[in-house]
Amino acid sequence: MSDIVVAKRYAKALFEVAQEKGIISGVEEELKSVVGAIRDNADLQKFLNHPNIGASVKKDLLKQIFEGNVSEPVWNTLQILIDKGREGVLAQLVTDYVKIANEALGQASATVYAPFAISEAQQAEIAAQFGKLTNKTIRVQTVIEPKLLGGIQVRIGDRLYDGSLAGRLNRLASSLK
């Protein structure tokens, strides 16, 4: 079975447990912090992905790092992944969990690309405008993209809304042809 399918199954199961306990958002944040901690520590990554290190040793280390810092469902999921040798699906599991949670809660994540920092008020305005467009509550994450000369690009799921200067010029050039 492919890792993508496995990650979706684990994400769905974890979401159902989190929903039952009423901690959907908390689990999402915990998963993101666990993946971030592992991603930011190259030694920890190598350790977890090493095939000759036993599951019990890996779980002992993760217990020292994360137990007490994450909820029971997240901790149990980490243990199951280690036991099954599926440590590599953790990042995909987080992505799938966020998609499932957003869909269930009527939310969407928007990544806003801008050539400059965007204020909180501007983020709220972007969230409101795209919330009307998608009929969902929008959570905005900003990425500074110096290649954009002006305007912004907003990615929601697999859709890109291009309000950048370069995008406008390209559309103008196409309409003139």
Side-chain angles (χ1 to χ4, degrees):
M1 200 175 335
S2 80
D3 286 347
I4 293 171
V5 173
V6 169
K8 279 186 181 176
R9 287 187 179 174
Y10 281 110
K12 186 165 176 41
L14 180 58
F15 174 78
E16 289 172 0
V17 171
Q19 187 176 34
E20 187 178 291
K21 294 184 180 259
I23 55 172
I24 296 170
S25 297
V27 166
E28 179 180 335
E29 293 307 313
E30 290 172 5
L31 283 172
K32 287 178 179 178
S33 67
V34 167
V35 167
I38 293 170
R39 182 188 57 235
D40 294 343
N41 188 329
D43 292 335
L44 181 57
Q45 264 183 351
K46 288 177 188 174
F47 179 82
L48 291 175
N49 292 324
H50 199 287
N52 293 333
I53 297 175
S56 62
V57 176
K58 291 178 183 180
K59 287 192 315 188
D60 287 343
L61 178 65
L62 288 180
K63 185 175 188 175
Q64 292 173 13
I65 298 171
F66 297 116
E67 192 178 46
N69 297 323
V70 295
S71 62
E72 182 183 349
V74 172
W75 174 242
N76 290 341
T77 300
L78 288 173
Q79 290 187 78
I80 291 169
L81 290 174
I82 297 292
D83 285 339
K84 301 288 185 182
R86 298 283 192 180
E87 304 90 344
V89 304
L90 188 57
Q92 184 63 43
L93 182 147
V94 173
T95 302
D96 291 336
Y97 180 89
V98 170
K99 286 179 186 174
I100 293 167
N102 282 346
E103 194 65 36
L105 298 174
Q107 298 177 339
S109 295
T111 305
V112 178
Y113 301 94
F116 48 81
I118 295 177
S119 71
E120 292 291 325
Q122 290 170 321
Q123 286 183 19
E125 186 177 333
I126 290 168
Q129 290 297 324
F130 283 94
K132 289 177 190 172
L133 185 66
T134 61
N135 292 324
K136 294 185 178 185
T137 303
I138 302 295
R139 298 185 309 177
V140 175
Q141 174 187 356
T142 305
V143 175
I144 296 176
E145 185 62 58
K147 293 177 189 173
L148 296 176
L149 300 175
I152 62 170
Q153 292 178 335
V154 179
R155 179 170 296 284
I156 301 173
D158 59 355
R159 194 121 195 226
L160 178 68
Y161 300 93
D162 190 354
S164 67
L165 183 60
R168 290 178 187 174
L169 289 173
N170 287 339
R171 288 189 295 277
L172 178 63
S174 295
S175 69
L176 291 175
K177 288 182 182 178

